[in-house]
Amino acid sequence: MAQQKISLTRYLVEQQRADGLIPGQLRLLLEVVARACKSISMAVNKGDLGGVLGSADSENVQGEVQKKLDIIANEVLIEANEWGGHLAAMASEEMDSIYVVPNRYPQGEYLLLFDPLDGSSNIDVNVSIGTIFSVLKKPDDHPGVHEADFLQAGAKQVAAGYCIYGPQTTLVLTVGHGVAMFTLDREQGSFVLTKENIQIPADTKEFSVNMSNMRHWDEPVKRYIDECLAGTEGPRGKDFNMRWIASMVTDVHRILMRGGIFMYPWDKREPGKPGKLRLMYEANPMSWLVEQAGGAATNGKERILDLQPTKLHERVSVVLGSKNEVERVTRYHDPL
Ligand code: AHM
Ligand code: MG
């Protein structure tokens, strides 16, 4: 008999039933997020034919020009998630403040954060982009929901993942028991389990960083990259390869598939800013996935998942991927 395909729905039901790893409400939430990602994938695929490309002529709270697809993806995620009764509120890269579930719907116990369309600069050039999400539990010591309820360290996440819209649409997920990957079967309309227990090799010969910023970096990051560039003649004694897609989802996906190190470090252009990427809906979910796959994630000094957020749209410096390389960069920041 041909091997049965395991759908995301079945995978989640079995995790809930047999292992008790996922509460029912969280399972529902993840299914709804996956369904929203399916809709976003359809919109992305249509491209010019669906009139979804180009700028929306508006700016988000971080002062970045929004693309039409940033806004479409944000709306799809909100509409899919607001009525199911599993959420208390949502937060997004594209919204200034939190979105509390309207009181015509039941309030659930979870908080959902997302970057609806990561890698926005790739949208109009037909290069892979994605959705990143993180799930937290709402503290139950007070009624209602406030922005402060979201300000929990990444170590408190109860689920995290991303969906990549590339040659395939792929959903990658963790609920704290390893990392699983699901590929969208367009004929069936469902995500099918295609990899389980993903592991990132501890060593790598591939780095991912926007090299055009090199002159602005701090010494430890410069030193690490200089040593990689020196290749077999340098202190590392091996040649390195470089990849930069300008879409964190895609760069992290490659690292989960074959190893590597990804960095978006602090730089001198805006010294007051800890980094470019956002802690709560970019760095935290990706760091948890990477750690769950045996890798490491720091801001150059501390474990990202231990950082206490102070605001929703907080930024952070990011170094993640193959464990030995991340530890090396982190060591270079603290030579003692
Ligand atoms: P976005 O969420 O507005 O798309 O920005 C985040 C993206 C990351 O996906 C990517 O790693 C980085 O910004 C690319 O930055 P750069 O334009 O410096 O290459
Ligand atoms: Mg992003």
Side-chain angles (χ1 to χ4, degrees):
M1 204 174 74
Q3 220 189 342
Q4 257 195 329
K5 286 183 177 175
I6 299 180
S7 66
L8 174 69
T9 303
R10 176 168 168 186
Y11 175 87
L12 293 174
V13 166
E14 284 178 355
Q15 294 252 316
Q16 180 191 351
R17 194 191 287 150
D19 309 327
L21 302 178
I22 312 183
Q25 288 295 307
L26 181 57
R27 174 175 69 76
L28 266 175
L29 192 168
L30 293 172
E31 290 219 45
V32 175
V33 170
R35 207 179 309 138
C37 290
K38 236 188 286 178
S39 301
I40 298 170
S41 172
M42 301 302 164
V44 169
N45 281 170
K46 282 187 190 142
D48 263 333
L49 299 178
V52 298
L53 302 187
S55 162
D57 296 322
S58 53
E59 281 190 0
N60 65 14
V61 66
Q62 2 247 342
E64 299 158 342
V65 175
Q66 291 175 304
K67 302 276 186 171
K68 284 184 195 158
L69 263 176
D70 287 323
I71 294 176
I72 294 169
N74 195 58
E75 281 168 4
V76 167
L77 280 156
I78 288 178
E79 281 167 20
N81 279 287
E82 67 179 351
W83 52 269
H86 47 271
L87 280 183
M90 295 176 246
S92 160
E93 177 177 325
E94 304 303 338
M95 298 188 293
D96 301 8
S97 41
I98 64 168
Y99 179 92
V100 178
V101 166
N103 49 24
R104 62 181 179 279
Y105 301 122
Q107 292 261 332
E109 56 185 332
Y110 292 103
L111 306 172
L112 175 65
L113 298 102
F114 45 83
D115 177 355
L117 225 286
D118 179 60
S120 303
S121 69
N122 284 338
I123 294 175
D124 295 343
V125 293
N126 202 359
V127 174
S128 299
I129 45 186
T131 297
I132 311 174
F133 61 91
S134 161
V135 185
L136 295 164
K137 199 105 191 272
K138 185 184 99 69
D140 56 10
D141 55 357
H142 57 269
V145 57
H146 312 282
E147 188 162 311
D149 296 332
F150 283 79
L151 304 181
Q152 304 180 37
K156 298 253 178 71
Q157 293 171 102
V158 294
Y162 62 81
C163 187
I164 177 168
Y165 314 114
Q168 301 105 46
T169 288
T170 307
L171 185 84
V172 176
L173 183 70
T174 186
V175 288
H177 303 275
V179 180
M181 174 174 129
F182 304 83
T183 304
L184 181 61
D185 178 337
R186 288 183 188 275
E187 278 133 45
Q188 301 295 324
S190 57
F191 282 101
V192 175
L193 181 66
T194 41
K195 267 197 181 68
E196 252 185 306
N197 195 19
I198 293 171
Q199 289 295 315
I200 300 174
D203 292 301
T204 182
K205 292 163 91 174
E206 197 160 66
F207 66 86
S208 185
V209 69
N210 186 343
M211 290 287 292
S212 69
N213 298 329
M214 190 167 192
R215 69 189 186 285
H216 307 295
W217 294 337
D218 231 352
E219 260 337 292
V221 176
K222 262 193 203 150
R223 172 184 170 195
Y224 176 77
I225 294 297
D226 276 340
E227 290 179 0
C228 292
L229 295 176
T232 40
E233 291 90 51
R236 301 300 308 274
K238 58 182 183 181
D239 289 333
F240 280 77
N241 186 32
M242 192 202 90
R243 285 287 182 274
W244 182 250
I245 316 285
S247 148
M248 188 196 202
V249 167
T250 314
D251 282 315
V252 170
H253 188 67
R254 186 189 56 255
I255 288 171
L256 282 165
M257 294 300 106
R258 68 176 191 209
I261 178 167
F262 169 94
M263 295 195 277
Y264 212 116
W266 170 92
D267 74 44
K268 292 188 194 104
R269 284 171 301 173
E270 288 181 87
K273 237 193 217 176
K276 174 180 183 184
L277 299 175
R278 274 56 51 121
L279 173 62
M280 300 216 58
Y281 40 80
E282 292 179 322
N284 274 345
M286 291 312 205
S287 298
W288 199 29
L289 286 164
V290 164
E291 283 198 6
Q292 281 290 312
T298 73
N299 63 359
K301 294 180 178 139
E302 300 156 88
R303 181 181 179 231
I304 286 180
L305 294 181
D306 287 336
L307 300 174
Q308 174 58 48
T310 56
K311 53 183 189 203
L312 203 52
H313 298 289
E314 185 159 327
R315 293 179 190 257
V316 66
S317 173
V318 175
V319 181
L320 60 76
S322 291
K323 201 164 195 285
N324 292 340
E325 297 299 308
V326 173
E327 283 173 359
R328 177 181 288 270
V329 176
T330 310
R331 224 171 32 242
Y332 286 4
H333 281 84
D334 181 15
L336 297 179

